[in-house]
Amino acid sequence: MSEPLAEREGPDAPQAGLAPSAFADLYTRHSRAIYYLCLRLLNDPGKAEDATHDVFLKAFCKRNQFRGESSWRTWLYRIAINHCRNLLAAWHERHMLSNADEALWENTAARTDSPLRVVEIRELGERIQQALAGLPGEYRLLLLLVADEELSYEQVGALTGQSADAVRGKLHRARKAFIVRFRQTE
Amino acid sequence: MKRQTKLTAQEQEQLDARQQQAAAAAPREFASVEEMLRHDAQCTPVPPAIARRLEKSVRDLPPPPARAWWRRFFGS
């Protein structure tokens, strides 16, 4: 949040409800994660900016409905994921995955344990965006959520409607698919 | 006896700038996809306009409706 709000007190631990005065710290702590998720899901900085604004505005309006059963981060992610899904559905931008693509990943010898080498760090964001855009939506979301160290596999599972074991299982395929796509961007 | 040279503030700044440029230009390896995404997220700034818009939007929200008299009466 900007300066006037940033001076106010904020929450450190999950708690039921949220005083308006603590909202600024909530934004400060989580806006980067939410903006990054929106950016990589929507593939458009302008749309990501709008979406991040809308997500936090929704969170502000519904802050009294927060019961502390999850972390604030998880709660915000849930709002962001639903918001982005609605936008993508409205824009008919949902990418369908063909079987040919599946076969490509399965048959490509992409080692998931070898380091990913990037020569031009400045182009990293564009290459990541291209690689993510080539993945099925489920893999894309899974990778973005698992990359957040504040989320456990259980929390990622809760956000994506599956068990932690299912997350672990799909993650291997998601990583492999990403690496294949990422190397194609070189 | 070892001779020590002190850098001036300007020389130190130039040295820091060169080191930053070298670091930016150097190839970088990531051990995992997640590590790469975390690095990308850290390098992706949040547009400051979002905070300004959000602050205005919050300010412009209509006040919450007053509780109905029967809710106040029954304490629900």
Side-chain angles (χ1 to χ4, degrees), chain B residues 1 3-5 9 13 22 25 30-33 36 38-40 42 47-48 55-56 62-63 65:
Chain B
M1 188 173 165
R3 188 180 170 192
Q4 290 186 339
T5 56
E13 276 180 22
F30 297 96
S32 67
V33 175
M36 179 186 273
R38 274 194 291 275
H39 176 83
D40 185 40
Q42 281 304 312
E55 194 171 9
K56 185 178 182 311

Side-chain angles (χ1 to χ4, degrees), chain A residues 65 75 132 173:
Chain A
Q65 295 174 19
W75 189 65
L132 288 172
R173 292 194 294 276

